[in-house]
Amino acid sequence: MHRALLERRIRDVHSRLVRAREDLAVLDEQLAVVRESADEARVRSLVAETPLAAHEHSEAARHADAMSKARDALASTVLDLEHRQDELLSSVVIPRS
């Protein structure tokens, strides 16, 4: 592979990896808030014992589960990009002096 092409691919993967890590950090913060909200809804559901409270808890729990799956997918993307970056970097031949 030509060195210029290899360098371009490394830069591309690196920039995608940086963006994915930033997105993952944001999603982690959002997921913590959503999980906390779901936990609060669960407690309200247990205390109130009303259909409305149970419905709110169910909705909050579904939202938290969906965000958790999105977070897992993004974490997998980060791992894939890290692996790809490692492969590209290992293919760089460093001349010895």
Side-chain angles (χ1 to χ4, degrees):
M1 186 180 309
H2 295 296
R3 186 168 184 88
L5 177 61
L6 182 60
E7 289 173 358
R8 188 179 70 201
R9 286 185 179 175
I10 290 171
R11 280 192 301 274
D12 177 57
V13 169
H14 176 72
S15 64
R16 290 173 47 206
L17 180 57
V18 168
R19 281 192 308 270
R21 284 177 176 160
E22 290 170 352
D23 291 345
L24 184 59
V26 169
L27 193 54
D28 280 338
E29 290 177 18
Q30 291 173 342
L31 182 56
V33 171
V34 169
R35 283 182 176 161
E36 184 178 332
S37 177
D39 287 343
E40 290 172 3
R42 181 184 60 81
V43 170
R44 282 193 305 274
S45 174
L46 292 172
V47 171
E49 295 182 350
T50 64
L52 178 61
H55 177 72
E56 289 173 352
H57 168 251
S58 177
E59 287 293 316
R62 274 197 300 262
H63 189 66
D65 288 344
M67 282 192 77
S68 183
K69 288 177 184 175
R71 189 251 177 240
D72 292 345
L74 186 54
S76 176
T77 298
V78 167
L79 289 175
D80 291 344
L81 287 169
E82 287 173 342
H83 180 70
R84 180 68 180 137
Q85 179 175 298
D86 290 345
E87 287 176 344
L88 289 169
L89 289 172
S90 69
S91 66
V92 173
V93 177
I94 302 173
R96 296 184 180 186
S97 330

